[in-house]
Amino acid sequence: MTAQDYTPREMMTLMAAREIRNGDIVFCGTGISVLAAAAAKKINAPESVIFFETGAVDSRLAELPIAVADPRVMHGAAAHGSLLDAFAFMQNRITGDRVIAILGAAQVDPFGNLNTTCIGDFERPAVRFPGSGGGCDVASFVPRCIAFMQHEKRKFVERLDYLTSPGGLCGGDAREAAGLRPGGVGVVITNKAVLRIDSGSRRLFLEQHYPGVTVREIVENTGFVLDVSRVREALPPTADELRILRQKCDPQRLILGPPASG
Amino acid sequence: MTAQDYTPREMMTLMAAREIRNGDIVFCGTGISVLAAAAAKKINAPESVIFFETGAVDSRLAELPIAVADPRVMHGAAAHGSLLDAFAFMQNRITGDRVIAILGAAQVDPFGNLNTTCIGDFERPAVRFPGSGGGCDVASFVPRCIAFMQHEKRKFVERLDYLTSPGGLCGGDAREAAGLRPGGVGVVITNKAVLRIDSGSRRLFLEQHYPGVTVREIVENTGFVLDVSRVREALPPTADELRILRQKCDPQRLILGPPASG
Amino acid sequence: MEDKSLPLGEAIDRYVRDGAHIAVGGFTLNRNPMAAIYEMIRRRIRGLHVYAHSNGTGVDELIGGGCVDRLEIAYAGNGKAAPTCIRFRKAVQEGQIAVEDYSNYMMGLRFLAGAMGVPFLPTLSGLGSDIAEKWGFSAEMRQRDPRLPDDKLITMENPFGAWGDASRVLLVPAVNPDVTLIHVQTADVMGTCRIDGLAFADIEQAKASRHVIVTCEVLAAPETLRGEPERNQIAFPHVSAVCHVPWGGYPTAVFRHYDYDAEFLRNYAAAAADDRRFREYQERWIYGVESHAALLEQVGGKRLAALTADPETGYAAHAKRG
Amino acid sequence: MEDKSLPLGEAIDRYVRDGAHIAVGGFTLNRNPMAAIYEMIRRRIRGLHVYAHSNGTGVDELIGGGCVDRLEIAYAGNGKAAPTCIRFRKAVQEGQIAVEDYSNYMMGLRFLAGAMGVPFLPTLSGLGSDIAEKWGFSAEMRQRDPRLPDDKLITMENPFGAWGDASRVLLVPAVNPDVTLIHVQTADVMGTCRIDGLAFADIEQAKASRHVIVTCEVLAAPETLRGEPERNQIAFPHVSAVCHVPWGGYPTAVFRHYDYDAEFLRNYAAAAADDRRFREYQERWIYGVESHAALLEQVGGKRLAALTADPETGYAAHAKRG
């Protein structure tokens, strides 16, 4: 199998799926986030539980939802709570500590803080994004968060235009000093690489580059200084992973998009 | 019809029922409180709504409940909320301002504060009562509260052994100064009389004595100084009121107890 | 028994004034009170102050309809059709509306605080974030307007020390809208409501509100709803008006009744990106029809039939959504 | 799929230690987890710290069983049978248990705060009352015990000024019990629960708790409960153990299954007033039977049949209760 056999989007999805462990309760957003959770459940973590901020717990997902309020998240769930129930579930340490969350972002800084609000000045932005949604809440509450982002220099920035969802804030013990519990984004998965928060420096470092992507290409597409000393090549998707992802998780390619040309 | 034709308990129930107006939402406790609400709905306020701290709204009460958690409050209600919903309904001014509440008490002071907790020292009481239940909450939230009590000197006291449910606190603007909304107990209905809070002095005064009960008897059975200058005789129950109360509201005399001997 | 049923147009006229503070139910592409929203646009309501969490479809239409001056919101995206709602984005970037940002949980808590009748509720969300730091409504604007709290959010030390494993909390102020508009599966003429599937924040929005306008798929007999009172989430004392509007959530989904119309949402998004095409869209689907029933007729029975929910799943299984 | 079903005795052994902080579901004479309570008494659990709102029947039995050292409670009455619960009154008057008083709403909010994961919640209830002023647990006791907040309640100025029409609020601290025991109509082996009729504070109690032991009338297939997820109030991640115990709420009522046994409650109240007769009661109904099934057998099928709920009303219509 060569790099041409799968798309970057497939690789991203599977890299996130691999972060999920059996027994994890997986907080899903819209799009690639729910696809990664669905893939994990079918591949490596059959006893993981998918849940949504809209309040559905252990949704069956006979079809892929295109939004977290899609009626497809309602069918066959164990229980339907409210928006408030879903966030209380994460804020409460007894249940919240078992949650792993998958979030999207428009900008990430070296400490894993996320911007999903705007580019430019908040009051009159050059580009406005949808805003926090549950992102700020989840990043505040959940010990393990995965962020998805396209790997572009303007997205990996030294300083966010707006800090929507707290990671390590300005590093060190800033997060705890602000009153937040330990947690926030610990790993960023892009179309080129996996970046992880170093427990000492509390900064993102380059952990894995995808097959066929050079470290140099990654560094050039990252807007802040990146520790690359520990980088290794990511394991490409296995044939089984790809088969299950394509045939069982998103056969309509609603989220995966166009297939690989190779 | 003479005074012998009805019991003091029947009179108390009907005096409370007369306080209820069409459109009122009636918060009921256990016992005579729910009976008064049921009587009002069948006699003078057919469009009143009965509701319970346990969360039942507009219960049908095909049979009388002997507790607010009796399954008889559940049957045929418009909706079942939680304990929290029921109290939020009263704390919220939009809905709470439409509520009239009927509470029981072990002691009442001149300002309409109630004790349902204990006689003697709280830490080692001579007599322990059940405690607040929802009483403190209701007296804090609801603009119009009715209290039921047996008319005894040791129950109408200058100073409560324990202030469970706030009325006017120590009088004047004490209630508002404490941060409470206007409200609390405005009327006390006993087996002998009706006492009401004066809007000026904020103290209870004797408003009505029951037929056959002298003002002197009432004063002797009240442990604090009572303004009797405005007293009038209460209208006795009408034949219709008694018929509906006995035949439609409590035919088993579960709450009314033994019938009048006369 | 008070009968609160009335035509939707009359309900809007009676309760939604220009400048009103409103909240709308639903979430992105699900159970938005679309018939009510289209009716507000048709009646050219102006100057609304809108409280929203993730009320995608409906809020974006209201903004596009020129109804909204101020918006307090957590999320303005609409699934695959519009990762950021397009009229929202345009209005914010061009400074046409004033926006204050919160998170979904904060907005949910603000409605809950309003429903509970307390001035605020605490959370551990957002400490150290720009949501707490940056204010879209200035301190001056807040002080001038008695309908706004003086502070957006307040960070406070935990008065119970380290109790609850928290050193600080963020306090979010209560919201009490003038009117909340929701669309539910079933209601009776008194106003009692039953929601199937996820309730989102509809219940808290309704209970926080001075008036509630309910549109419903099915107008049931009170006796029917009272057979299972535990399934009725909103009791009649909270509700001002009940309007029977089948398909009143279209083009968003209503669980166990119909799915969202992915094609309509996609066409909306495409039109919204261009002012001229957007005016054509509004002319055709909102101003050019006299009611929701007329809008549905224009959609056509065949297309609606394809969206009808499978009784087993509650949505239109195998519908074309790509 | 994790199967959490196990015999009740094993569940108690596994999760309820001497000295545990526990909460029990139900309200006065309805849906108390009586089988679980009798089992705790039978196993002579000691030193419990109990959090209760109005959990009449169950809490009074636990006190009578000598299981309770400390009690935080709003209301200890049991309807017509016992305006004040009798073993509770005796234990308090004789100083055998330490008691801290709250209101029902305060206790409900304390469970909700625990369920939400916040250190406290605000209310306007109890300002100026002795509930706020007098502490049953002294400041010294509170400071010594890390399982208790240092303050019973805190009165605070409204930090948002006059917002929400409130000058002050009372803050109530969160409760997170070690174990909550509830009895529900239906559960599955994973732990998902469906409660019919009023839920009281069971849901908040369960969600606030580190462990939850559920007893149920009916052990249903997960697929059955998942057919209507909106009717399931507690999802399986909150639950540690599920025990199938039909009539597990007896002698309290379980809506749509059976009524309370007014005679049993009356006899209990009569026995509770006298130490010797109370020991006889316990010997006969608790220590002298090996399980709830054996207790029910002693009650007899005929008496239980008379309590069986009318399908129309959910209780035993026309039952003798006087």
Side-chain angles (χ1 to χ4, degrees):
Chain A
M1 180 169 285
T2 72
Q4 278 68 44
D5 290 320
Y6 54 89
T7 68
R9 210 163 165 78
E10 287 170 338
M11 181 70 176
M12 288 174 82
T13 307
L14 290 168
M15 291 307 283
R18 290 171 182 175
E19 297 282 326
I20 297 168
R21 300 191 287 248
N22 237 351
D24 280 352
I25 298 171
V26 188
F27 173 91
C28 300
T30 296
I32 188 168
S33 155
V34 64
L35 184 57
K41 203 163 161 63
K42 289 203 160 64
I43 297 170
N44 54 300
E47 296 286 318
S48 58
V49 173
I50 295 179
F51 110 109
F52 294 93
E53 65 182 324
T54 43
V57 180
D58 205 22
S59 301
R60 284 294 165 82
L61 303 187
E63 296 186 7
L64 266 184
I66 62 163
V68 296
D70 192 308
R72 284 153 190 80
V73 310
M74 301 183 188
H75 168 58
H80 289 166
S82 65
L83 213 60
L84 287 166
D85 291 329
F87 290 110
F89 187 92
M90 293 183 279
Q91 190 170 221
N92 178 337
R93 301 275 29 91
I94 299 164
T95 38
D97 279 348
R98 296 157 59 189
V99 176
I100 181 168
I102 318 180
L103 303 170
Q107 284 183 333
V108 177
D109 75 10
F111 302 105
N113 302 298
L114 309 182
N115 174 12
T116 58
T117 304
C118 60
I119 299 294
D121 185 53
F122 171 72
E123 294 192 25
R124 192 67 183 265
V127 186
R128 173 69 206 214
F129 299 118
S132 160
C136 171
D137 309 310
V138 171
S140 297
F141 301 150
V142 168
R144 292 188 294 149
C145 294
I146 300 166
F148 273 126
M149 203 172 65
Q150 290 302 108
H151 212 128
E152 299 172 24
K153 191 162 191 155
R154 61 187 185 125
K155 287 173 173 263
F156 279 103
V157 294
E158 191 62 51
R159 202 181 155 75
L160 303 174
D161 288 350
Y162 188 98
L163 196 166
T164 314
S165 304
L169 297 178
C170 56
D173 67 349
R175 183 179 170 99
E176 291 72 21
L180 295 166
R181 272 89 174 249
V185 166
V187 56
V188 181
I189 292 173
T190 79
N191 51 326
K192 298 182 189 297
V194 174
L195 286 70
R196 202 173 291 274
I197 293 284
D198 178 85
S199 59
S201 71
R202 298 241 184 160
R203 283 178 62 103
L204 287 168
F205 69 96
L206 182 62
E207 187 196 56
Q208 302 173 60
H209 66 89
Y210 294 169
V213 180
T214 65
V215 170
R216 181 172 170 164
E217 183 184 340
I218 292 164
V219 168
E220 281 174 356
N221 282 286
T222 305
F224 52 76
V225 177
L226 199 58
D227 172 4
V228 301
S229 63
R230 286 166 280 179
V231 70
R232 57 183 165 81
E233 183 172 282
L235 287 175
T238 66
D240 258 6
E241 284 175 326
L242 281 175
R243 182 180 50 77
I244 296 172
L245 177 64
R246 291 168 181 170
Q247 293 176 15
K248 307 271 183 189
C249 299
D250 189 9
Q252 296 183 276
R253 300 195 75 87
L254 270 174
I255 293 167
L256 284 175
S261 52
Chain B
M1 179 167 290
T2 72
Q4 279 67 44
D5 289 321
Y6 54 90
T7 67
R9 209 161 165 80
E10 287 170 339
M11 181 70 176
M12 288 174 82
T13 307
L14 291 167
M15 291 307 284
R18 291 171 181 174
E19 298 282 326
I20 296 167
R21 299 191 288 249
N22 239 350
D24 280 351
I25 298 171
V26 189
F27 173 90
C28 300
T30 296
I32 188 168
S33 157
V34 66
L35 184 58
K41 200 162 164 65
K42 290 204 158 63
I43 298 170
N44 54 300
E47 296 286 318
S48 58
V49 174
I50 295 179
F51 109 108
F52 294 92
E53 64 182 323
T54 42
V57 181
D58 205 22
S59 301
R60 284 294 164 82
L61 302 187
E63 296 186 7
L64 267 185
I66 62 164
V68 297
D70 193 309
R72 284 152 190 82
V73 311
M74 300 183 189
H75 169 58
H80 289 168
S82 66
L83 213 60
L84 287 166
D85 291 330
F87 290 110
F89 187 92
M90 294 184 277
Q91 190 171 223
N92 178 337
R93 302 275 29 91
I94 299 164
T95 38
D97 279 348
R98 296 157 61 189
V99 176
I100 181 169
I102 318 179
L103 303 170
Q107 285 183 331
V108 177
D109 74 11
F111 302 106
N113 303 298
L114 309 182
N115 174 12
T116 58
T117 303
C118 60
I119 299 295
D121 185 52
F122 170 71
E123 293 191 25
R124 191 69 183 265
V127 186
R128 174 68 207 214
F129 299 118
S132 161
C136 171
D137 309 312
V138 172
S140 298
F141 301 150
V142 168
R144 294 188 293 149
C145 294
I146 301 167
F148 273 127
M149 202 173 63
Q150 289 303 107
H151 212 128
E152 298 172 25
K153 193 163 190 153
R154 61 187 183 123
K155 288 172 172 263
F156 280 103
V157 294
E158 191 62 50
R159 202 180 156 74
L160 303 174
D161 288 351
Y162 188 98
L163 196 166
T164 314
S165 303
L169 296 180
C170 55
D173 66 350
R175 184 179 167 98
E176 291 72 19
L180 295 166
R181 273 87 175 249
V185 166
V187 57
V188 181
I189 293 173
T190 79
N191 51 326
K192 297 180 189 299
V194 174
L195 287 68
R196 204 174 289 275
I197 294 284
D198 179 85
S199 59
S201 71
R202 299 245 184 156
R203 283 180 61 103
L204 287 168
F205 69 96
L206 182 62
E207 187 196 56
Q208 301 174 60
H209 66 89
Y210 294 170
V213 181
T214 65
V215 170
R216 182 172 169 165
E217 184 184 340
I218 291 165
V219 168
E220 281 174 354
N221 282 286
T222 305
F224 52 77
V225 176
L226 199 58
D227 172 5
V228 302
S229 63
R230 286 165 280 180
V231 71
R232 56 183 166 82
E233 184 171 283
L235 287 174
T238 66
D240 259 7
E241 284 176 327
L242 281 174
R243 183 181 50 76
I244 294 171
L245 177 64
R246 291 167 182 171
Q247 293 174 17
K248 307 269 184 191
C249 299
D250 189 9
Q252 296 182 274
R253 299 195 76 85
L254 269 174
I255 292 167
L256 285 174
S261 52
Chain C
M1 189 181 79
E2 193 186 350
D3 184 338
K4 296 170 184 161
S5 65
L6 77 176
L8 178 56
E10 281 182 37
I12 301 287
D13 280 348
R14 194 176 298 175
Y15 297 110
V16 187
R17 313 284 153 110
D18 284 357
H21 287 227
I22 73 160
V24 299
F27 196 104
T28 58
L29 43 64
N30 204 309
R31 222 164 32 64
N32 281 219
M34 295 309 299
I37 281 165
Y38 290 134
E39 193 61 30
M40 287 191 283
I41 297 170
R42 215 172 273 128
R43 282 165 194 259
R44 299 181 196 271
I45 305 276
R46 290 292 175 265
L48 292 177
H49 185 116
V50 178
Y51 301 101
H53 45 87
S54 294
N55 312 88
T57 311
V59 167
D60 203 52
E61 288 267 21
L62 278 178
I63 294 169
C67 308
V68 181
D69 272 8
R70 301 193 301 195
L71 179 60
E72 309 196 27
I73 193 165
Y75 185 78
N78 210 13
K80 199 174 149 75
T84 302
C85 289
I86 293 162
R87 300 312 294 188
F88 160 82
R89 162 176 276 177
K90 223 175 168 67
V92 176
Q93 290 176 186
E94 294 172 6
Q96 291 161 358
I97 59 174
V99 181
E100 187 74 281
D101 267 67
Y102 295 90
S103 70
N104 270 340
Y105 190 46
M106 291 176 201
M107 286 308 298
L109 287 173
R110 297 185 67 199
F111 291 121
L112 178 62
M116 288 171 66
V118 289
F120 63 86
L121 284 171
T123 175
L124 300 179
S125 175
L127 292 161
S129 74
D130 277 341
I131 296 177
E133 294 302 316
K134 295 190 178 173
W135 293 12
F137 300 166
S138 68
E140 298 68 41
M141 171 179 170
R142 290 179 165 279
Q143 266 166 3
R144 222 169 35 233
D145 188 339
R147 300 282 323 255
L148 296 176
D150 288 353
D151 293 274
K152 178 189 180 188
L153 297 161
I154 293 174
T155 301
M156 185 176 84
E157 301 297 306
N158 179 357
F160 286 93
W163 186 249
D165 192 22
S167 59
R168 290 180 179 181
V169 291
L170 192 76
L171 307 180
V172 301
V175 164
N176 287 109
D178 296 317
V179 193
T180 286
L181 304 105
I182 60 172
H183 182 70
V184 306
Q185 282 86 350
T186 319
D188 67 24
V189 297
M190 296 176 77
T192 296
C193 301
R194 179 176 298 177
I195 295 171
D196 282 6
L198 293 167
F200 310 123
D202 285 32
I203 300 165
E204 294 79 18
Q205 289 177 310
K207 291 183 178 178
S209 203
R210 190 150 288 283
H211 294 290
V212 177
I213 298 175
V214 173
T215 57
C216 61
E217 293 295 326
V218 176
L219 194 65
E223 291 317 303
T224 305
L225 288 183
R226 283 169 185 258
E228 291 175 280
E230 61 272 72
R231 295 178 62 186
N232 307 332
Q233 299 94 337
I234 302 171
F236 61 87
H238 298 286
V239 173
S240 296
V242 178
C243 313
H244 184 208
V245 188
W247 292 80
Y250 178 90
T252 68
V254 174
F255 191 55
R256 297 210 180 98
H257 286 256
Y258 46 87
D259 218 327
Y260 49 86
D261 186 340
E263 184 189 340
F264 193 102
L265 297 177
R266 209 163 41 234
N267 290 344
Y268 170 86
D274 177 272
D275 283 352
R276 190 186 52 77
R277 283 177 62 199
F278 190 61
R279 278 195 303 276
E280 286 168 10
Y281 160 85
Q282 289 178 312
E283 208 45 63
R284 176 164 181 211
W285 295 104
I286 308 175
Y287 300 121
V289 292
E290 64 173 5
S291 68
H292 202 62
L295 179 153
L296 294 169
E297 199 164 319
Q298 193 162 281
V299 174
K302 197 176 149 196
R303 188 157 149 195
L304 295 182
L307 297 174
T308 299
D310 180 322
E312 167 63 23
T313 61
Y315 55 80
H318 314 299
K320 191 174 166 340
R321 298 179 293 137
Chain D
M1 189 180 78
E2 194 186 350
D3 183 340
K4 296 171 185 163
S5 66
L6 77 176
L8 178 56
E10 280 181 37
I12 302 287
D13 280 348
R14 194 175 299 175
Y15 298 109
V16 188
R17 311 284 153 112
D18 284 358
H21 287 226
I22 72 161
V24 299
F27 197 102
T28 59
L29 44 64
N30 203 308
R31 221 165 32 67
N32 281 219
M34 294 309 297
I37 281 167
Y38 289 135
E39 192 61 29
M40 286 191 282
I41 298 170
R42 213 172 276 128
R43 282 167 193 259
R44 300 183 195 269
I45 305 277
R46 290 292 175 265
L48 293 177
H49 185 117
V50 178
Y51 301 101
H53 47 85
S54 294
N55 313 89
T57 312
V59 168
D60 204 51
E61 287 267 22
L62 277 179
I63 294 170
C67 308
V68 181
D69 273 7
R70 302 193 300 196
L71 179 61
E72 309 198 28
I73 193 166
Y75 185 78
N78 210 13
K80 199 174 150 73
T84 302
C85 289
I86 294 163
R87 300 311 296 187
F88 161 80
R89 162 176 276 175
K90 223 175 168 68
V92 176
Q93 290 176 187
E94 295 174 6
Q96 290 161 358
I97 58 174
V99 181
E100 188 73 282
D101 267 68
Y102 295 90
S103 71
N104 270 341
Y105 190 46
M106 292 176 201
M107 285 308 298
L109 287 173
R110 298 185 68 199
F111 291 120
L112 178 61
M116 288 170 66
V118 289
F120 63 86
L121 284 170
T123 175
L124 301 177
S125 176
L127 292 160
S129 74
D130 278 342
I131 295 177
E133 293 303 316
K134 295 191 178 172
W135 291 13
F137 300 165
S138 68
E140 298 69 39
M141 172 180 168
R142 290 179 165 280
Q143 267 167 1
R144 222 169 33 232
D145 188 340
R147 301 281 324 253
L148 296 176
D150 287 353
D151 292 275
K152 178 188 181 188
L153 297 161
I154 292 174
T155 301
M156 184 176 85
E157 301 298 306
N158 180 357
F160 286 93
W163 186 248
D165 191 22
S167 59
R168 289 181 180 180
V169 292
L170 192 76
L171 307 181
V172 300
V175 165
N176 287 108
D178 296 315
V179 193
T180 286
L181 304 105
I182 60 171
H183 182 70
V184 306
Q185 281 87 349
T186 318
D188 67 25
V189 296
M190 295 177 77
T192 295
C193 300
R194 179 176 298 178
I195 295 171
D196 282 6
L198 294 166
F200 310 123
D202 285 32
I203 300 165
E204 294 79 19
Q205 290 177 309
K207 291 183 177 177
S209 204
R210 189 151 288 283
H211 294 290
V212 178
I213 297 175
V214 173
T215 57
C216 61
E217 293 294 327
V218 176
L219 193 65
E223 290 318 302
T224 305
L225 289 182
R226 284 169 184 257
E228 291 176 280
E230 60 272 73
R231 295 178 63 186
N232 308 331
Q233 300 94 339
I234 302 172
F236 62 87
H238 297 286
V239 174
S240 297
V242 178
C243 313
H244 184 210
V245 188
W247 291 80
Y250 178 90
T252 68
V254 174
F255 191 55
R256 297 211 180 99
H257 285 255
Y258 46 88
D259 217 326
Y260 49 87
D261 186 340
E263 185 188 339
F264 192 102
L265 297 177
R266 209 163 45 235
N267 291 344
Y268 170 86
D274 177 90
D275 283 351
R276 190 185 51 79
R277 284 177 62 199
F278 190 61
R279 279 195 303 275
E280 286 167 11
Y281 160 85
Q282 289 177 311
E283 209 44 63
R284 177 164 180 210
W285 294 103
I286 306 175
Y287 300 121
V289 292
E290 65 174 3
S291 68
H292 202 62
L295 179 153
L296 294 169
E297 198 165 318
Q298 193 163 280
V299 174
K302 198 177 150 194
R303 188 157 151 197
L304 296 182
L307 298 174
T308 299
D310 181 321
E312 168 64 23
T313 61
Y315 55 81
H318 315 300
K320 191 175 169 335
R321 298 179 293 138

